[in-house]
Amino acid sequence: MKEVWLVRHGQTLWNAQGRLTGWADVPLSPLGREQARRLGVWLQRERFDRVVASDLQRAVETAHLAYAEPEERLWALREIDFGELDGLLWAELPEEHRQALLRFDGFQAPGGESVEGFRSRVHAALSALPEGRLLVFTHGGVLRLVLRELGQEAFLPPCSVVGVDWEAQRLLFVREG
């Protein structure tokens, strides 16, 4: 069995400002660090076979503060690449991009990644992880992608956790941060 707990990183200043944050390597804000520590109180009661994180510092730092230093840092667990849209405020996006992002399916960031490419990358990374109970620190888009494929639609706040039986493609729980 492969039980995967997907954790969205803590808040960054860009998140607080409403900026699209894809591959830009922005750090946690002071509030994000506190969110990670609070999540850690809950996570420390659990035991995992492996701790993995996206290679971006906001995910790595959340892992360190909430549970443990990740054993692996994988670029394939990054947020979707927003390309030319990275760092823009939601209000600055052309309406067509806002609507496409809300629909999610069919979205292609100019100079960035398509949702189909993102899905393929994330699925390959999660499928390649070993069996066991895994704690994976990643990004909001990854949680949204996995939830949508399991019949749920949600934009989860920082430090939310989604538990999945990966092999059965079954949602175990959602804990909002």
Side-chain angles (χ1 to χ4, degrees):
M1 180 174 167
K2 188 185 300 187
E3 182 179 325
V4 181
W5 287 31
L6 299 164
V7 180
R8 182 179 178 196
H9 61 78
Q11 183 193 67
T12 68
L13 290 177
W14 279 22
N15 296 146
Q17 294 167 349
R19 294 186 185 280
L20 291 185
T21 312
W23 286 16
D25 201 8
V26 296
L28 294 179
S29 66
L31 175 58
R33 288 184 199 94
E34 180 55 33
Q35 290 169 331
R37 287 185 196 98
R38 282 196 312 258
L39 174 62
V41 172
W42 181 69
L43 284 177
Q44 291 301 326
R45 297 183 301 217
E46 304 292 333
R47 293 293 162 251
F48 298 93
D49 299 313
R50 189 167 198 78
V51 179
V52 180
S54 152
D55 65 341
L56 297 175
Q57 66 178 316
R58 58 192 183 267
V60 172
E61 187 177 6
T62 301
H64 176 77
L65 292 170
Y67 195 80
E69 196 63 33
E71 297 162 64
E72 262 186 292
R73 298 175 187 193
L74 303 174
W75 74 269
L77 293 173
R78 286 181 174 192
E79 181 62 90
I80 192 168
D81 180 2
F82 287 116
E84 297 167 21
L85 305 178
D86 210 23
L88 292 180
L89 293 168
W90 181 257
E92 295 172 333
L93 292 176
E95 184 63 22
E96 67 196 60
H97 292 308
R98 281 198 298 254
Q99 291 305 314
L101 266 172
L102 290 173
R103 280 191 313 275
F104 207 51
D105 289 326
F107 173 72
Q108 166 80 51
E113 188 172 28
S114 69
V115 169
E116 291 74 23
F118 176 53
R119 179 180 292 119
S120 189
R121 169 171 59 83
V122 168
H123 271 268
L126 293 173
S127 295
L129 291 173
E131 288 191 359
R133 199 161 192 239
L134 312 170
L135 185 59
V136 178
F137 291 86
T138 187
H139 305 272
V142 173
L143 274 65
R144 183 180 182 204
L145 176 80
V146 169
L147 281 173
R148 288 190 94 206
E149 292 177 350
L150 299 176
Q152 304 277 328
E153 177 65 46
F155 292 98
L156 295 174
C159 286
S160 292
V161 184
V162 172
V164 178
D165 175 340
W166 186 253
E167 291 167 347
Q169 288 294 292
R170 184 172 58 90
L171 182 64
L172 301 174
F173 70 89
V174 175
R175 180 187 187 272
E176 289 199 26

